[in-house]
Amino acid sequence: MEDCRFETSEIQASLLMSTQLFTDSWSSCNTANCDGRIKIQLIAGITYVAIQAVPMIQLGDLVGLPVAGDVLFPGLSSDEPLPMVDAAILKLFFQLKIKEVLELELVGRKLVVITGHSTGGAVAALTALWLLSQTSLPPFRVFCITFGSPLLGNQSLSTSISRSRLAHNFCHVVSIHDLVPRSSNEQFWPFGTYLFCSDNGGVCLDNADSVRRMFNILNATGTPNIEEHQRYGHYVFTLSHMFLKSRSFLGGNIPDNSYQAGVALAVEALGFSNDDTSGVLVKECIETTTRIVRAPILRSAELANDLASVLPARLEIQWYKDRCDASEEQLGYYDFFKRYSLKRDYKVNMSRKRLAQFWDKVVKMVETNELPFDFHLGKKWVYASQFYQLLTEPLDIANFYKNRDIKSGGHYLDQGNRPKRYEVIDQWQKGVAKPDKCERSIYTSTTQDTCFWAKLEEVKEYLDEVIKESSDAQRRSLLLEKILRFESYANTLVKKKEVSVDVLAKNSSYSVWVGNLREFKFKMGYGNEIEMVVDECDAMET
Amino acid sequence: MAFEALTGVNGDLVTISWMASKGANQTEHYLKEEVGGTVFFAFRASFSSEDLFATENTSPFGEIKMKRNQFPCMRSIGNDVDTTVNEAFLKSLEVLIGPRTSFHASVQSAVDRKQQVVFTGHSFGGATAILATVWYLETYFIRDAYAAPEPRCVTFGAPLVGDYIFKHALGRENWSRFFVNFVTRFDIVPRIMLARKTTIEQTLSYVLGKLDSTRAPIHESDQVITEFYTRVMRDTYTVASKAVCQLIGNGEAFLETLSSFYELSPYRPVGTFVFSTQKRLVVVNNSDAILQMLFYTCQSNDEQELSVIPFLSIRDHHGYEELVQSIGIKLLNHLDLHNPLLDGENSIGSALDDLGMSTRARQCIHAALEAEKQRCQAHKNGYYDSFKDSNEENDFKANVKRVELAGIFDEVLGLVKKGQLPDGFEGSRGWINLATQYRRLIEPLDISNYHGQLKNEDTGPYMLHGRPSRYKYAQRGYEHDILKPTGMIAKDVFWSKVNGLNLGLQQDIQEILKNSGSECGSCFWAEVEELKGKPYEEVQVRFKTLEGLLEGWIKDGEVDEKEIFLEGSTFRKWWNTLPDSHKIHAPLYPRERMMDETRAT
C-alpha cells in the first residue's frame, strides 16, 4: 500500500466555501426562513430551491421509507434492513406539498440546488433524495446543501444512498458548536459530505464513520451553544472571504511530510490545537477518512491490465465451449458443465471462479467509489463485462443447479440467488444505446439471453410436475401456461437466431425438454391450438 | 549565466524585448526591431474590453476552438480534441497575419534569411506574442521546406491564452521551452483570464482604464478595484483548488458534482514563468505549479496587506521596467522537486517566503510538482517498456498475447486521456513507432476475430462500432507524425487521394465512404469483410477506392502484400467472384498475375 502524500479535506472545504454557490444557497435559505415558505429563485443560471425551517416539531422517531416498486423512492436500492427516515421530516415533506410544487417549477431547469436551514435542511435532503431516486435520473443536475440540519435517517438509508452512488450530491454544513445536527439517538446515521466549520475555517469529511466519530469528539470536548444554531449567516460570510488570506501553520513546527502538514492545518481549521488531546483525536479522525490509497484514474488504468491477465481464463471457457459444441455427444457446454466429470471441467471451473473473482472485485470497487466516477460508461468495460456475462453466466447457472438443494426448491432467478455482479452488469448495459440490429444470418456465438438456461430449468421442473400430476388442477394449469409461454419465447429466440448452437445440440437440456413437451402434448391430445393462446409480444416479456 | 540556462533567453535579449514592447504601444499593430541578426517583433497592448472578450462570443470565458487545418499540431492526439484559446486574442493574431499589415511579409523575409525571431509584448500584447509564436511554429518551424530557426517568445505581464490542451500540445511538440513569461508578484493581468466573464464584466473597462499607464493615476482606496481584485481572486482560487484536488485525486465524485454547478476557467499557463519579488527571481516550468503560484502569491498575510494588495495588483502591472533592469542583480531560484524546500538565504524555502507563500500554498505547489514526478514514474515504470518487450513478432501468434497487449495499450491510453503521462510522451518517435507497429500487426487479427465471432451482426460494422479506440489513437498519432512537416491534416489528405481516383462527384463519394475501412490501411481487411458477399454493382465505388489506396498502403508498410492474394484468403475468394471486366482494369490485376506466376514456378 502506497502512502497518501497529500491531504485535501480542508482544500475541499475552502473550495466549496469560496464559491458563489455557497453564499447564494445561504441567502436563499435566509429568505425562505424569513418568508416562512419555500423560496425558488434563479441566480446566475442556477435554480435555488430553499425550504424554510419549521420550528417546534418533535424529531427522533424513525419510520420506514417507501422504497422500491412504484412508490416515492423507486430508485433507491432496498437491501435489508429497511431504510428509515425521521417521521416528522417525512410528514413535513408531504405537508409542504414539495412534490407538487417542484413537479411544476423544475421543468426545463438545468442546475438545481436544494437547500435549507435546520429542519428545512433535512426536508431539503429528503427532497433531493426524492429527485435523485426516481427510476430515471432527472434531466437536471441536483446538489443539496444544508445548514445545521438534523440527521435524516438510519444507517441503512446512509448505506443505500452511497450504494446507489448518490452520496456526492449532498453537502451538510455544520458548525462545530451546533448541537442540532448531532442526534442523541444512536440509530440516526449521517450520509453525504459533511463540512464542519469554525471561525478559523472548515474541513470536509465524506465517510459516515468519521463523521460520527467527529460528532463524538465534539460531544466530549466542545462547548455546546444554543445560539450557535442561528449563527450560520455569520459563518457563511466569514468563511466565504477566507480565501483572500493565507493559511499558515500556527502551532510550532510544520511537519516535514506534506500529508502530516495538511492534516495539522485541517485540525487548526476546526479551531483545535494540534497539541492537546482533543486536537489529537480530531487529527486521527481526519487521517482515517483521507487515507485513500491511489487516485481512481490510476486504479482504473491498472484494472485494464488486470482484465488482460484474466483474459486467458475467458479464452479457456470459450475454447471449452467450442470443444463441447463440436463433441460427438452433442450436449452443449451448459450440460457438459452441469455433468462436471472430466478433468477439463475442473479446469474450466477454476477459470469460471477466477473470472467471478475479478468481476466481483470490479463491482465492489465501483460501489465503494474507488474507480473514476464514469467508469461503468466506458465502452471498453461495457463490452468486456457484457462479453463475460454472455459466456459465463450459463456456467454459473449450471453450477447452481448442479449443487442445488432440491428440498429448498429455490431457483436461480429467485431473489438473492443470482450473483450480484450480473445484476450490476445488466444495469451497465442499460446505460448504453443499443445499435440497430440487422437480421442474423447464423446462430450467435453466445445465447443473447444470459438467463435462458435458468428459465429452462424452471419450466423443466414445471413440466415434470405436470406430467406427474402431483398437484391440483388449478396449479397445473398455471404451470402449463408458464411452460407454453417459455416454449413460445424460446421459439422466437431460435427463429431470430439469438441463441448459440449449444442450445440446439441434439442432446442438450433444451432439446430434451422440447422432446418431452411434444410427447406430453401428444399424450394429452393437445394439438397446436394451445400454442396460439400465447401471443408473441407477451412471450418477449418472459 | 544561470538565468539563460533556466529560461533559454539571456538578459540582453530580455532588455531589448522590453524596450521593443514599450515601443510597440506607439504603433498601430507591431514594432519590428533588428539587433545583431535577431529580429524582434513586439506587439501593441490594447486596454479595451473588446480586445479581452470578443463581442459576439457567448461562451463563459470568451473562448473558441482553434481551426485544425490552420494549426494542425494544436490538439490532443489521445482525446482527439482541438485547442481552445481566447477568441479576442486569436482575432488580433488574424488581423496581424492578414493582408492589412506587413507582419507576414516581415516574418517571411526573416525566415528566408534564417534569422532568429523573437516575439514579445507587454500586457495584452504578450497574448498576441504567444499566439504569433504558435503561428510561426506551425507555419515555418515544423515545415521541412523552411528549416526555420528556433523562435523565442518573451512576455511581460501577459494574460493566459489557451487551455490545458494548448499547454499539452506545446509540451508534446517540445515547444514549451520557447516561451518565457515575466510576472511581477501582484500583477492582476496574468490572473484575469481565470475569472468568469460574468463576474468581472461590469468593472472590467474601468479597471482596464486604470491598467493603461497613459491614463490618470490610481488611488489606494479605490473600491471598484478592490471589488475587481476580490472577484478575480475568488475564481482563481476555485480553479487552483479544483486543480490541486484533482492532482491529488481525492473526493472526485463530490468535486465533479460541485464543478458541474460552477464553470471553471479552462485557461492554463504555458512555458516558463519568472516571478519577481523585491529580492529575487523565481523560475518555474511546471504549469500546475504556476497555476497554484498565480493564486497563492497574491494572497495576503493580514488585514493591512489585504487593504493594499488590490492597489498593488494594478501598480505591479507597470513594474516590468524595474524587473528587467534587475536581472543579474537579484537572487535567482529555480522551483522544482530537485531543489528541496529547505531554509537558507538562497533556497527555495526563502524564495517562497519572499513570495508570501503560506504553509497551504507550499503544499499545493509541492503536490503539483509531485504529480509531474508521478507522471514521469508512470512513464518509466514501464507501461511502455512492458509493451515494448512483448512487441516481438513471434509472440503475436498467440491470441492470448494479443489480448494481454491490448490491456497494456488500453492502460497507457487511459493514462494519456486523463493527462497522467508527461506531455512529451505522445510526441516521442519511439512510442509512435511502437504504436504503429502494434496497429499494423494486430488490428488485422482483431478484425478477423470480430468477423469470426460475427460481432458485426451483433454490434454493427467494425468501423462504426467495433474499432477499438487504441487503434484510432495509434492512427492519429502516426498520421500526425508523418503529416506534421507538410502542415496538412489527415482528413484532407485522405480526401484528396480519393478525389485523385476520379470515381464520381465528391459529395456522393463522401457519403458512400462514410465509415469505410479505406480510411486506414490496417482496416483493409475490415473493408474487405464488409464488401464481400455484396453485389459488385452496389459496392463498386467502395471497392475501387480500396484498390486505389492499396498500392500506397503496401508501399508504406500498412498492408502486407504477401497476404492479400494468398490462396484461400478472404480477399482472394472475393476477388474470384468479381466480374472479369473489373479485374482486367483493376490496378491489382498485374499483382495477382505476378503472384500466380511466382507460385507456378
Side-chain angles (χ1 to χ4, degrees):
Chain A
M1 293 248 287
E2 195 178 320
D3 272 344
C4 180
R5 310 185 68 112
F6 298 97
E7 200 284 325
T8 55
S9 58
E10 196 214 338
I11 304 181
Q12 267 184 54
S14 39
L15 170 61
L16 177 70
M17 295 187 304
S18 72
T19 60
Q20 212 68 45
L21 195 76
F22 184 64
T23 40
D24 289 344
S25 298
W26 173 253
S27 66
S28 303
C29 286
N30 215 6
T31 330
N33 281 352
C34 292
D35 296 357
R37 58 193 177 86
I38 299 174
K39 174 82 184 166
I40 300 176
Q41 55 181 346
L42 187 72
I43 309 172
I46 303 173
T47 308
Y48 291 87
V49 178
I51 293 161
Q52 76 272 29
V54 178
M56 310 297 242
I57 55 169
Q58 191 60 47
L59 295 169
D61 293 322
L62 284 167
V63 61
L65 194 65
V67 292
D70 52 331
V71 282
L72 217 45
F73 299 89
L76 216 53
S77 73
S78 59
D79 285 353
E80 302 286 312
L82 188 68
M84 294 169 100
V85 293
D86 196 300
I89 299 293
L90 189 62
K91 206 170 132 203
L92 260 181
F93 177 75
F94 291 119
Q95 271 174 3
L96 297 175
K97 301 223 175 299
I98 287 170
K99 235 179 91 182
E100 291 77 4
V101 174
L102 292 192
E103 266 164 4
L104 286 173
E105 285 283 345
L106 295 184
V107 178
R109 308 287 180 141
K110 287 274 181 312
L111 302 167
V112 176
V113 171
I114 316 274
T115 181
H117 171 236
S118 188
T119 44
V123 181
L126 189 62
T127 309
L129 190 59
W130 165 67
L131 286 170
L132 288 166
S133 64
Q134 300 307 305
T135 27
S136 58
L137 280 177
F140 42 78
R141 295 275 201 154
V142 179
F143 191 62
C144 172
I145 302 188
T146 72
F147 296 90
S149 76
L151 290 167
L152 178 63
N154 65 353
Q155 183 176 14
S156 163
L157 179 79
S158 171
T159 42
S160 69
I161 287 176
S162 63
R163 278 219 199 118
S164 314
R165 294 165 69 79
L166 298 175
H168 54 269
N169 293 296
F170 296 87
C171 179
H172 308 283
V173 181
V174 165
S175 149
I176 56 163
H177 302 298
D178 186 2
L179 273 180
V180 178
R182 316 175 211 164
S183 173
S184 49
N185 186 340
E186 278 292 305
Q187 278 188 293
F188 279 88
W189 216 267
F191 63 87
T193 300
Y194 267 72
L195 198 170
F196 288 95
C197 62
S198 77
D199 279 323
N200 298 334
V203 166
C204 276
L205 298 179
D206 55 10
N207 165 312
D209 289 327
S210 306
V211 173
R212 276 170 62 86
R213 211 163 135 186
M214 184 63 85
F215 279 145
N216 286 333
I217 297 168
L218 295 175
N219 275 335
T221 60
T223 42
N225 189 341
I226 311 274
E227 279 160 30
E228 194 64 29
H229 191 52
Q230 304 305 329
R231 286 188 71 218
Y232 285 94
H234 156 79
Y235 282 121
V236 170
F237 180 79
T238 319
L239 298 174
S240 68
H241 285 86
M242 202 75 120
F243 71 93
L244 286 171
K245 277 193 244 151
S246 53
R247 278 275 292 129
S248 273
F249 194 60
L250 302 170
N253 288 330
I254 309 163
D256 282 341
N257 176 312
S258 284
Y259 176 75
Q260 290 300 333
V263 175
L265 276 176
V267 171
E268 286 190 347
L270 287 181
F272 286 89
S273 157
N274 276 283
D275 301 326
D276 61 26
T277 19
S278 48
V280 171
L281 288 174
V282 172
K283 192 173 136 199
E284 282 169 9
C285 178
I286 293 170
E287 279 174 354
T288 42
T289 21
T290 53
R291 193 157 283 161
I292 291 173
V293 188
R294 295 208 72 181
I297 294 165
L298 289 179
R299 233 180 273 135
S300 90
E302 282 170 355
L303 213 52
N305 221 355
D306 291 354
L307 175 68
S309 73
V310 294
L311 264 161
R314 204 186 79 193
L315 292 175
E316 165 106 45
I317 295 180
Q318 180 75 52
W319 178 70
Y320 175 73
K321 178 176 185 294
D322 293 345
R323 287 239 314 239
C324 294
D325 286 348
S327 86
E328 285 176 3
E329 286 184 75
Q330 301 199 23
L331 207 53
Y333 82 133
Y334 174 78
D335 290 288
F336 256 110
F337 190 72
K338 210 174 143 192
R339 200 176 58 187
Y340 191 99
S341 53
L342 300 171
K343 198 175 158 205
R344 74 161 184 233
D345 297 327
Y346 169 76
K347 266 180 80 184
V348 166
N349 196 29
M350 293 306 290
S351 294
R352 179 184 69 86
K353 282 186 178 160
R354 243 184 99 193
L355 286 170
Q357 236 170 25
F358 172 77
W359 284 102
D360 280 343
K361 183 179 87 182
V362 173
V363 166
K364 194 166 160 248
M365 282 169 94
V366 169
E367 269 188 357
T368 51
N369 290 320
E370 284 175 60
L371 292 173
F373 187 54
D374 50 1
F375 173 79
H376 61 290
L377 299 177
K379 227 168 125 187
K380 177 188 174 82
W381 292 97
V382 169
Y383 284 135
S385 61
Q386 185 189 25
F387 212 69
Y388 159 71
Q389 187 185 16
L390 286 169
L391 189 65
T392 323
E393 189 161 12
L395 294 188
D396 276 322
I397 296 170
N399 190 55
F400 177 84
Y401 281 101
K402 182 179 159 60
N403 299 318
R404 184 166 77 125
D405 178 6
I406 300 200
K407 272 186 219 130
S408 76
H411 280 285
Y412 180 79
L413 288 173
D414 293 349
Q415 179 90 38
N417 283 342
R418 190 180 182 213
K420 193 170 168 202
R421 56 179 179 275
Y422 293 125
E423 273 157 25
V424 175
I425 293 172
D426 275 346
Q427 284 282 327
W428 293 352
Q429 305 302 331
K430 273 189 206 156
V432 192
K434 289 271 176 292
D436 304 330
K437 289 259 162 143
C438 50
E439 217 164 280
R440 291 176 192 283
S441 57
I442 61 165
Y443 292 110
T444 50
S445 53
T446 45
T447 304
Q448 295 300 295
D449 178 1
T450 54
C451 288
F452 178 85
W453 292 107
K455 288 171 187 167
L456 176 75
E457 291 286 351
E458 284 185 24
V459 292
K460 210 165 97 184
E461 224 171 75
Y462 298 156
L463 186 62
D464 290 347
E465 195 177 327
V466 173
I467 290 172
K468 266 194 266 160
E469 300 187 347
S470 56
S471 45
D472 59 65
Q474 199 191 348
R475 178 165 164 83
R476 285 221 312 271
S477 79
L478 185 80
L479 294 180
L480 201 61
E481 195 192 315
K482 281 187 176 168
I483 291 168
L484 294 175
R485 201 178 281 254
F486 176 79
E487 186 195 18
S488 152
Y489 168 66
N491 280 341
T492 334
L493 280 190
V494 172
K495 213 186 303 163
K496 286 165 82 182
K497 299 198 164 56
E498 300 239 307
V499 294
S500 145
V501 281
D502 61 295
V503 171
L504 302 171
K506 203 174 122 208
N507 299 318
S508 80
S509 291
Y510 175 71
S511 302
V512 171
W513 182 79
V514 169
N516 289 346
L517 182 64
R518 197 182 300 124
E519 202 176 293
F520 168 72
K521 277 188 189 169
F522 181 74
K523 217 160 73 188
M524 301 304 286
Y526 291 132
N528 283 331
E529 69 272 19
I530 288 182
E531 274 174 55
M532 308 308 288
V533 180
V534 189
D535 78 311
E536 216 158 81
C537 306
D538 244 19
M540 297 303 289
E541 300 286 316
T542 315
Chain B
M1 177 188 162
F3 184 78
E4 188 170 354
L6 289 176
T7 59
V9 292
N10 61 35
D12 292 342
L13 193 143
V14 177
T15 314
I16 300 164
S17 298
W18 171 246
M19 299 310 285
S21 296
K22 266 203 311 190
N25 287 334
Q26 265 75 54
T27 66
E28 200 190 341
H29 292 291
Y30 77 101
L31 177 79
K32 185 183 151 193
E33 193 101 29
E34 211 175 313
V35 182
T38 304
V39 188
F40 290 80
F41 292 95
F43 305 98
R44 199 179 79 95
S46 150
F47 290 94
S48 70
S49 48
E50 304 87 74
D51 290 317
L52 196 52
F53 294 113
T55 17
E56 323 79 90
N57 192 306
T58 51
S59 36
F61 300 92
E63 73 271 27
I64 193 177
K65 291 262 179 233
M66 275 180 131
K67 288 195 204 76
R68 188 176 290 190
N69 48 14
Q70 199 182 358
F71 299 99
C73 291
M74 300 311 286
R75 63 178 163 130
S76 143
I77 294 175
N79 292 319
D80 200 20
V81 181
D82 294 330
T83 291
T84 300
V85 290
N86 182 307
E87 186 178 3
F89 299 162
L90 191 62
K91 273 192 171 156
S92 60
L93 173 75
E94 273 157 12
V95 171
L96 196 67
I97 57 177
R100 277 166 52 202
T101 79
S102 54
F103 177 72
H104 199 152
S106 306
V107 175
Q108 179 75 51
S109 86
V111 169
D112 290 343
R113 283 179 286 145
K114 302 252 181 290
Q115 284 174 305
Q116 188 183 32
V117 185
V118 177
F119 299 95
T120 182
H122 171 233
S123 188
F124 299 97
T128 318
I130 292 172
L131 285 175
T133 313
V134 172
W135 168 80
Y136 173 88
L137 289 164
E138 291 267 25
T139 323
Y140 297 107
F141 185 65
I142 39 162
R143 305 288 170 88
D144 288 343
Y146 293 109
E150 290 183 356
R152 287 287 179 271
C153 175
V154 182
T155 73
F156 304 93
L160 304 182
V161 172
D163 66 344
Y164 169 77
I165 298 168
F166 188 74
K167 171 241 154 193
H168 168 79
L170 291 176
R172 186 191 60 228
E173 304 300 332
N174 194 16
W175 291 343
S176 303
R177 62 206 159 103
F178 303 141
F179 297 81
V180 183
N181 308 281
F182 289 90
V183 175
T184 43
R185 181 172 160 196
F186 296 110
D187 185 355
I188 194 86
V189 178
R191 284 125 179 150
I192 282 185
M193 293 318 296
L194 293 171
R196 285 169 302 164
K197 190 161 64 178
T198 47
T199 54
I200 55 169
E201 229 164 11
Q202 288 162 347
T203 43
L204 185 63
S205 23
Y206 177 84
V207 174
L208 288 175
K210 295 284 171 197
L211 282 168
D212 192 346
S213 60
T214 57
R215 309 268 184 88
I218 44 165
H219 299 288
E220 276 197 32
S221 54
D222 191 330
Q223 279 311 304
V224 182
I225 287 176
T226 308
E227 179 63 22
F228 183 80
Y229 162 82
T230 311
R231 283 170 177 238
V232 170
M233 283 293 279
R234 186 184 290 278
D235 283 353
T236 305
Y237 182 62
T238 332
V239 176
S241 306
K242 168 88 195 296
V244 87
C245 288
Q246 238 165 6
L247 287 174
I248 297 168
N250 278 355
E252 198 198 10
F254 179 67
L255 286 173
E256 212 50 59
T257 320
L258 187 61
S259 48
S260 65
F261 280 80
Y262 206 79
E263 271 162 315
L264 294 173
S265 169
Y267 300 111
R268 292 291 176 272
V270 163
T272 305
F273 271 62
V274 182
F275 288 88
S276 85
T277 68
Q278 299 284 325
K279 272 193 279 179
R280 63 183 86 226
L281 298 173
V282 181
V283 180
V284 200
N285 308 90
N286 179 308
S287 174
D288 294 322
I290 296 165
L291 182 67
Q292 298 301 320
M293 289 184 72
L294 283 177
F295 174 76
Y296 285 106
T297 54
C298 220
Q299 252 189 341
S300 47
N301 282 314
D302 48 49
E303 289 298 328
Q304 203 261 329
E305 228 183 31
L306 185 59
S307 61
V308 293
I309 287 185
F311 165 73
L312 295 176
S313 77
I314 304 293
R315 196 205 60 186
D316 264 10
H317 191 55
H318 298 290
Y320 291 96
E321 180 99 28
E322 186 265 339
L323 189 156
V324 170
Q325 285 163 0
S326 70
I327 296 176
I329 303 168
K330 280 184 182 175
L331 293 168
L332 186 68
N333 291 104
H334 184 214
L335 187 65
D336 70 359
L337 267 191
H338 307 297
N339 294 323
L341 308 159
L342 292 174
D343 291 326
E345 181 57 14
N346 201 18
S347 73
I348 283 297
S350 44
L352 293 178
D353 282 343
D354 269 11
L355 284 166
M357 303 288 248
S358 60
T359 319
R360 170 58 70 205
R362 280 158 209 254
Q363 273 205 298
C364 291
I365 291 180
H366 192 196
L369 295 172
E370 188 79 8
E372 180 67 22
K373 195 168 105 185
Q374 270 188 3
R375 268 177 227 147
C376 293
Q377 257 165 9
H379 176 34
K380 279 195 202 106
N381 275 353
Y383 290 119
Y384 175 69
D385 284 337
S386 54
F387 188 70
K388 195 166 124 192
D389 288 345
S390 44
N391 207 340
E392 299 291 326
E393 290 199 32
N394 305 340
D395 283 339
F396 283 129
K397 282 178 191 130
N399 212 15
V400 179
K401 210 74 209 171
R402 178 174 67 85
V403 284
E404 276 179 3
L405 281 180
I408 300 171
F409 204 117
D410 282 350
E411 186 168 357
V412 175
L413 194 54
L415 293 171
V416 163
K417 285 199 169 181
K418 302 279 184 182
Q420 298 283 329
L421 289 174
D423 290 333
F425 175 75
E426 280 187 288
S428 74
R429 187 58 58 84
W431 170 244
I432 290 175
N433 287 346
L434 264 181
T436 306
Q437 199 188 348
Y438 170 76
R439 176 174 61 84
R440 286 173 179 169
L441 280 165
I442 305 297
E443 185 163 17
L445 294 183
D446 265 344
I447 293 170
S448 100
N449 200 36
Y450 188 82
H451 289 90
Q453 301 205 357
L454 285 160
K455 292 244 200 94
N456 51 329
E457 298 196 349
D458 281 347
T459 3
Y462 175 79
M463 291 305 286
L464 199 59
H465 295 295
R467 194 171 188 215
S469 24
R470 50 179 178 275
Y471 298 128
K472 295 184 198 160
Y473 163 74
Q475 182 193 345
R476 280 201 297 274
Y478 169 71
E479 286 169 349
H480 172 74
D481 192 49
I482 55 166
L483 292 179
K484 208 156 60 169
T486 67
M488 288 190 284
I489 59 172
K491 210 173 76 189
D492 295 347
V493 172
F494 172 69
W495 287 115
S496 80
K497 272 190 202 157
V498 172
N499 290 338
L501 298 171
N502 290 324
L503 296 172
L505 272 176
Q506 189 177 349
Q507 240 174 351
D508 301 342
I509 304 282
Q510 290 204 354
E511 190 52 41
I512 296 171
L513 290 183
K514 222 197 245 165
N515 297 314
S516 89
S518 294
E519 282 167 25
C520 179
S522 53
C523 297
F524 171 78
W525 293 104
E527 187 70 353
V528 172
E529 292 278 2
E530 275 297 309
L531 299 185
K532 76 170 188 201
K534 286 184 184 155
Y536 173 71
E537 290 71 26
E538 207 177 280
V539 297
Q540 198 177 359
V541 171
R542 284 177 73 171
F543 184 56
K544 282 186 174 162
T545 312
L546 190 70
E547 272 185 331
L549 296 173
L550 187 59
E551 200 66 31
W553 288 334
I554 291 173
K555 206 172 79 222
D556 295 341
E558 284 280 318
V559 178
D560 188 350
E561 82 178 296
K562 282 185 288 257
E563 285 177 14
I564 300 175
F565 278 110
L566 275 186
E567 206 61 53
S569 86
T570 312
F571 183 80
R572 176 88 190 201
K573 279 190 207 152
W574 181 51
W575 172 262
N576 290 340
T577 67
L578 294 178
D580 283 341
S581 59
H582 174 96
K583 280 196 254 185
I584 295 173
H585 299 292
L588 282 174
Y589 187 64
R591 216 173 261 284
E592 188 215 358
R593 299 252 50 88
M594 213 170 69
M595 282 289 288
D596 287 352
E597 276 159 27
T598 346
R599 208 171 297 126
T601 52

